Amino acid sequence: MKGKNILLAALLVILPSSVDAQKKKSATKAKVKQKTTVVDNELEQRLESMRDFTQKVMFIDSVVVSKSKLLSSLNIPDEAGSIQAYNKFFNTTDQPNSIVYLNQLKNKCVFSKFADGGWDLYSQEMIGEKWSNAVPLKGLDILGDDVDINWPFLLSDGTTLYFAAKGEESIGGFDIFMTRYDETTQSYLKPENIGMPFNSIDNDYFFIVDEYDGIGWFATDRNQPEGKVCIYSFIYNNVRENYVVDEYTPEQLRQLSEIHSISQTWTSNQARLDALEQLTAVYKRKFTQKKKNDFEFVINDELTYTTLSDFRSVEAAEMYVDLNELLRKKNKLDSSMERARIAYPTARQAQREQYKQQLLAAEKQSEKYETDIKNLSKKIRRIELTKLGK
């Protein structure tokens, strides 16, 4: 118990708590006049229909920062790529509010650009040592001609795109949308509004996911005075699960859809503590890791790579990202099996049988991961050595 208390104290020092964020909001409200938004009947009906499909999300924490410090406050890990200001990335001064997303391999960027009275998204790829010409992303124009699109983010698969858009399909200000690239048509599919609780009648943007750790972040202006923004961190789920409407009162569902309190999304205090520990590990790895190398991958007796930029083959580098994901999944599965083995002796008979079945399936999957990891490692080495002429 003492160890748990020490851990909790450490976490509260490292991370600004949601309680602190709420206190900051309350203190700010006393000093600054809040924005007011008039909701008409048509919009209210739309909001009510969207609440019935509110996604079940566990929010870990929230912190309020100045909008001018938003980019520097989004401390996402390197595995998720990076977010930069357009002017800094392209060394210019003509796009003060445009954003660039650069992938982990640093060979593709997606960015917003303001022209002809609005924002649109473009992409460039690294060819050799030079960036290709910027091309507009196809398929997004289906949202309309008068739609502003900004704040892009690509998942590691290179095809799933999140962005914020302001237009007819938004419920207020900027909303977060998701789409995927279709190789057949070489165009993005029709973007979908990801709904509540991520979107609101205010501006919602910067949907960012660290798939390696299963953590996500997004920013919102809701309930904030001018010049402030709230950054939420949450557990990222690969499969969407909505709240079951019949299990909640209309008021409960409204509060969940609007993120009235992040504590309402916790399944237990222990679950939140575990999530905080997970989030702390992400930040700790990014800021306090003393090792200068990102990883160690042995190519042969003479070569050991420590960064993605060491690879000469782009294909091999991309495969290493896949390898890293396989390692993460195996480690996560092995940790889960260890917890099940510890719980097995003291569990009831029915639970033991359940643990037994889960362990058998997990061990089989872990063995498959191990085989896939070995095969992919060999393939990466073979491709890289071929590229090097060895």
Side-chain angles (χ1 to χ4, degrees):
M1 180 62 71
K2 183 178 179 181
K4 286 287 185 180
N5 291 335
I6 293 174
L7 174 60
L8 178 57
L11 290 171
L12 293 177
V13 169
I14 294 173
L15 294 171
S17 71
S18 59
V19 175
D20 289 339
Q22 295 299 324
K23 285 182 179 178
K24 290 178 183 177
K25 292 179 187 177
S26 300
T28 306
K29 287 180 181 178
K31 297 179 181 179
V32 183
K33 184 178 180 181
Q34 292 291 301
K35 297 180 294 183
T36 57
T37 305
V38 177
V39 182
D40 58 31
N41 291 334
E42 182 178 348
L43 178 56
E44 181 57 39
Q45 291 177 0
R46 188 177 178 189
L47 291 173
E48 287 183 5
S49 64
M50 290 185 73
R51 288 188 192 113
D52 290 344
F53 298 94
T54 299
Q55 186 174 352
K56 194 172 185 178
V57 180
M58 178 178 170
F59 289 96
I60 308 170
D61 207 3
S62 64
V63 58
V64 177
V65 301
S66 298
K67 282 190 177 181
S68 61
K69 297 181 179 179
L70 177 56
L71 283 179
S72 61
S73 300
L74 286 168
N75 299 313
I76 63 175
D78 295 337
E79 291 86 353
S82 62
I83 301 288
Q84 303 178 40
Y86 181 102
N87 284 352
K88 181 179 180 180
F89 186 83
F90 289 107
N91 192 25
T92 183
T93 59
D94 61 348
Q95 294 287 330
N97 298 310
S98 295
I99 301 298
V100 177
Y101 168 75
L102 180 67
N103 69 350
Q104 182 189 10
L105 293 172
K106 295 180 173 58
N107 64 355
K108 182 174 183 178
C109 66
V110 180
F111 57 90
S112 59
K113 188 174 182 180
F114 187 83
D116 300 325
W119 277 289
D120 288 302
L121 294 188
Y122 300 79
S123 69
Q124 288 181 253
E125 294 186 2
M126 183 66 73
I127 300 177
E129 296 182 355
K130 294 183 179 180
W131 286 105
S132 64
N133 294 328
V135 294
L137 300 192
K138 294 181 180 180
L140 305 188
D141 54 355
I142 195 172
L143 292 175
D145 296 330
D146 299 325
V147 176
D148 284 323
I149 303 177
N150 204 343
W151 298 288
F153 177 80
L154 271 175
L155 289 188
S156 60
D157 60 12
T159 62
T160 304
L161 173 70
Y162 287 94
F163 60 87
K166 182 179 181 181
E168 293 182 0
E169 296 195 29
S170 303
I171 56 176
F174 279 93
D175 276 11
I176 299 168
F177 288 77
M178 185 274 289
T179 181
R180 290 186 176 87
Y181 188 74
D182 186 348
E183 289 286 352
T184 304
T185 62
Q186 295 189 346
S187 175
Y188 281 93
L189 301 172
K190 182 180 178 180
E192 297 179 0
N193 186 312
I194 67 172
M196 297 175 170
F198 296 109
N199 290 322
S200 68
I201 59 176
D202 294 296
N203 293 315
D204 306 282
Y205 43 98
F206 265 144
F207 189 93
I208 298 168
V209 174
D210 168 21
E211 296 172 276
Y212 182 85
D213 296 285
I215 301 289
W217 296 264
F218 89 102
T220 178
D221 292 352
R222 70 183 79 176
N223 302 319
Q224 301 304 318
E226 288 293 335
K228 296 290 184 178
V229 59
C230 185
I231 303 173
Y232 286 94
S233 54
F234 60 92
I235 295 296
Y236 175 68
N237 299 314
N238 291 316
V239 179
R240 180 180 179 120
E241 180 185 358
N242 295 335
Y243 287 103
V244 179
V245 177
D246 294 341
E247 296 179 359
Y248 300 88
T249 66
E251 177 59 19
Q252 287 175 326
L253 198 59
R254 183 190 67 79
Q255 291 186 8
L256 288 167
S257 69
E258 297 175 358
I259 321 180
H260 181 76
S261 171
I262 65 172
S263 62
Q264 292 175 324
T265 69
W266 304 340
T267 54
S268 67
N269 288 331
Q270 184 60 48
R272 197 259 177 156
L273 183 61
D274 291 342
L276 270 174
E277 186 176 358
Q278 187 176 349
L279 182 60
T280 303
V282 173
Y283 291 146
K284 184 177 181 181
R285 187 176 73 247
K286 181 175 178 66
F287 295 112
T288 65
Q289 188 177 28
K290 295 182 179 179
K291 290 176 63 178
K292 293 182 179 180
N293 300 334
D294 294 336
F295 56 81
E296 289 188 0
F297 184 75
V298 177
I299 300 297
N300 60 18
D301 293 338
E302 301 173 352
L303 282 176
T304 297
Y305 289 174
T306 57
T307 66
L308 282 174
S309 60
D310 290 337
F311 284 95
R312 294 296 173 265
S313 166
V314 174
E315 183 183 6
E318 291 175 344
M319 285 183 177
Y320 182 81
V321 174
D322 294 336
L323 175 66
N324 206 34
E325 177 65 10
L326 282 174
L327 289 167
R328 182 194 69 81
K329 288 181 177 179
K330 185 178 185 303
N331 290 336
K332 187 175 181 179
L333 182 63
D334 290 346
S335 296
S336 177
M337 285 194 295
E338 183 61 26
R339 289 194 296 270
R341 291 190 182 102
I342 293 173
Y344 182 84
T346 58
R348 295 180 180 179
Q349 184 60 40
Q351 290 178 315
R352 285 189 180 187
E353 185 60 31
Q354 186 177 10
Y355 280 133
K356 182 179 179 181
Q357 296 302 320
Q358 290 175 348
L359 282 168
L360 288 173
E363 286 170 354
K364 185 176 181 179
Q365 181 61 52
S366 182
E367 290 175 1
K368 184 178 185 304
Y369 281 146
E370 185 68 30
T371 300
D372 292 343
I373 288 168
K374 289 180 179 178
N375 291 338
L376 187 55
S377 297
K378 290 179 181 178
K379 189 173 182 179
I380 292 171
R381 293 187 182 98
R382 184 171 66 252
I383 292 174
E384 184 65 14
L385 288 171
T386 300
K387 182 71 174 181
L388 294 171
K390 296 184 178 182

